[in-house]
Amino acid sequence: MIKNKKILLGVTGSIAAYKSAFLVRLLVKAGAEVKVIMSQSATDFVAPLTLSTLSKNPVLIDFQKDKTGEWNNHVELGLWADVMLIAPASANTIAKMANGLCDNLLLATYLSARCPIFLCPAMDLDMLAHPSTLHNLQKLQEFGNHVIEPKEGELASGLFGKGRMAEPEEIVVSLEHFFESQKQAKKLHGKKALITAGATREYIDPVRFISNNSSGKMGYAIAEELAAQGAAVTLISGKTYLSIQNSHIHKINVETAAEMFEATVAHVADNDIIVHCAAVADYTPKEKASQKIKKKENDLTIELVKTKDIAKEVGHLLQPHQFHVGFALETNEEIKNAKEKLQKKNFDMIILNSLQDKGAGFEHDTNKVSIIDKTGQIIDLPLKSKKEVAQDIVRLIVSKLPKT
């Protein structure tokens, strides 16, 4: 997928800049044409001569090439590239990108680029976790940029945590998946997909509710991947801080299980693919207090009643051309329980999460799943980012869609 692609690599001032040499080598080996732009501070960590030798192109650092006044044209560079990849992306560069600052050739090229932008953050764990950095990364994603998540491990500071730049091999795989999704986009052209995501809230009184730890990350990743593959997507979302990036996703916000039930059932008939990824409450208070419940001396008992089973109801409404996908989060007898749910709710495919797997399930940026289809075939996927898991899931959906 990378062969003959034009990749513009931006290298910024981070200790992880040493990985850029390995990254350039892998990209060139895969058949890509690579040009490198470095920030001035990046040259303190890796020699431009190294990257120039590996890329077989001059490394660009400043606007002016030499004393004659000849210049490196940032506009032409931005138009030349199929992808601009910034690896490593330091906290400083991320902040400048998010706020439109333009004080070097790399940033001027970023602001001029019309191609997709990928960035690979690399910094110490406290810098990455700082609200300003998280806000800047969110802004960049809202602009449509792609973030290849940093990994956990030992950092240059000696601390252990999240902040390591993704390994060059992982970055190359992410680019391959991106180019593959572009090539395959027409496979879902003309298709419509409905997906639920996030957690529901079942209110006890006006300020208290029963919910769960679902962040919505997996559902949003699937919605984005379905849209990337050409589908018109309706996303029915519970409460979440996440935002959508693709303009082909129509988002419907709900709060309660009852609201999600109504919205889902109302849209089922119009869609070719239905994916239930939301963590929907199984029970809701029988009565919701109209005023805030005050603390009393005695214990408080709340009577709960079952909510409507959205996936089961949709299973009864399916037409032959529709493909029905569910999720199962289990803590014991995982495969057995998932297979029972697949049959009971008329799923064509079910994705199993186990809370026994480290790094999988709620709130994590990664997931480890097993995919079971109607024939009983089981595909076990290793721990991956939720974006990569979403790509695998959508790829399987595409391969199993009923022929029309």
Side-chain angles (χ1 to χ4, degrees):
M1 290 294 107
I2 288 179
K3 189 175 182 181
N4 298 324
K5 297 296 183 185
K6 297 174 181 177
I7 297 176
L8 189 60
L9 175 64
V11 182
T12 72
S14 162
I15 186 63
Y18 78 89
K19 293 184 179 180
S20 60
F22 298 97
L23 179 57
V24 171
R25 187 174 182 278
L26 287 175
L27 291 170
V28 171
K29 189 176 181 181
E33 183 178 353
V34 181
K35 292 185 179 180
V36 179
I37 305 176
M38 299 180 73
S39 68
Q40 189 64 52
S41 60
T43 63
D44 294 331
F45 296 95
V46 63
L49 179 60
T50 300
L51 301 183
S52 175
T53 302
L54 292 171
S55 68
K56 301 178 176 62
N57 280 308
V59 168
L60 311 177
I61 301 170
D62 299 313
F63 286 99
Q64 188 171 303
K65 288 184 179 179
D66 51 43
K67 299 296 183 182
T68 66
E70 191 178 0
W71 65 304
N72 294 311
N73 191 326
H74 59 280
V75 176
E76 286 184 0
L77 286 168
L79 292 173
W80 171 83
D82 293 310
V83 155
M84 184 174 186
L85 169 66
I86 303 174
S90 66
N92 184 50
T93 293
I94 288 169
K96 290 179 178 180
M97 291 169 66
N99 291 283
L101 299 184
C102 183
D103 61 358
N104 60 33
L105 179 63
L106 193 158
L107 290 165
T109 306
Y110 161 70
L111 290 176
S112 302
R114 296 183 183 179
C115 61
I117 310 290
F118 284 76
L119 59 149
C120 303
M123 64 198 76
D124 207 61
L125 73 165
D126 295 312
M127 296 172 70
L128 181 63
H130 196 280
S132 60
T133 304
L134 294 175
H135 176 67
N136 289 333
L137 285 169
Q138 183 177 343
K139 280 178 67 176
L140 289 173
Q141 287 179 300
E142 289 172 354
F143 294 162
N145 298 313
H146 304 265
V147 175
I148 299 176
E149 289 288 332
K151 308 302 178 183
E152 287 192 359
E154 187 176 353
L155 305 172
S157 64
L159 299 175
F160 187 94
K162 188 174 180 179
R164 290 172 60 94
M165 187 180 95
E167 295 302 320
E169 293 83 359
E170 295 174 277
I171 295 169
V172 171
V173 168
S174 292
L175 292 178
E176 287 175 341
H177 283 161
F178 170 74
F179 287 124
E180 184 179 359
S181 69
Q182 280 195 325
K183 185 177 180 181
Q184 293 180 345
K186 291 184 179 180
K187 287 191 175 181
L188 289 180
H189 179 71
K191 299 291 185 182
K192 294 181 179 181
L194 174 67
I195 181 162
T196 66
T200 60
R201 294 180 173 183
E202 308 306 314
Y203 282 88
I204 298 167
D205 63 22
V207 297
R208 301 181 181 93
F209 55 83
I210 301 168
S211 190
N212 57 66
N213 289 329
S214 174
S215 64
K217 290 178 182 178
M218 192 70 253
Y220 273 62
I222 294 172
E224 293 284 354
E225 183 61 20
L226 285 166
Q229 296 281 8
V233 179
T234 299
L235 171 63
I236 301 175
S237 175
K239 284 284 187 179
T240 176
Y241 68 87
L242 301 173
S243 58
I244 55 174
Q245 300 176 33
N246 195 303
S247 60
H248 295 288
I249 300 174
H250 171 58
K251 184 180 174 185
I252 300 172
N253 293 314
V254 298
E255 281 197 87
T256 67
E259 290 173 352
M260 186 166 281
F261 178 89
E262 291 174 7
T264 304
V265 170
H267 288 83
V268 166
D270 298 329
N271 286 275
D272 305 286
I273 302 163
I274 302 102
V275 182
H276 302 273
C277 196
V280 184
D282 293 323
Y283 294 90
T284 188
K286 186 175 183 179
E287 294 182 2
K288 173 187 169 184
S290 59
Q291 302 294 327
K292 180 183 175 183
I293 299 171
K294 299 295 184 182
K295 185 185 292 185
K296 299 177 182 179
E297 293 295 329
N298 300 325
D299 293 339
L300 175 66
T301 300
I302 300 171
E303 186 176 356
L304 303 177
V305 295
K306 286 186 70 173
T307 58
K308 292 181 179 179
D309 191 325
I310 300 173
K312 189 174 181 180
E313 179 64 23
V314 170
H316 294 318
L317 300 173
L318 291 177
Q319 299 297 315
H321 72 280
Q322 294 178 305
F323 195 80
H324 197 208
V325 181
F327 271 73
L329 180 64
E330 302 291 342
T331 58
N332 63 294
E333 295 187 299
E334 291 95 335
I335 297 293
K336 176 177 176 290
N337 290 334
K339 285 184 174 181
E340 288 178 357
K341 184 179 284 189
L342 183 143
Q343 296 297 327
K344 183 179 178 182
K345 302 190 180 184
N346 196 21
F347 290 136
D348 294 291
M349 191 167 81
I350 192 164
I351 294 95
L352 170 63
N353 280 125
S354 172
L355 286 183
Q356 308 297 332
D357 294 323
K358 186 178 179 181
F362 289 152
E363 296 185 314
H364 295 287
D365 293 321
T366 54
N367 209 356
K368 183 175 184 290
V369 304
S370 297
I371 303 175
I372 309 170
D373 67 14
K374 268 189 170 180
T375 68
Q377 180 187 15
I378 301 174
I379 300 174
D380 294 315
L381 299 180
L383 187 70
K384 299 182 176 185
S385 72
K386 287 186 173 175
K387 182 174 182 179
E388 291 171 319
V389 174
Q391 291 169 341
D392 290 334
I393 291 170
V394 171
R395 196 176 295 116
L396 268 174
I397 290 173
V398 169
S399 70
K400 293 177 180 292
L401 277 178
K403 305 300 180 185
T404 55

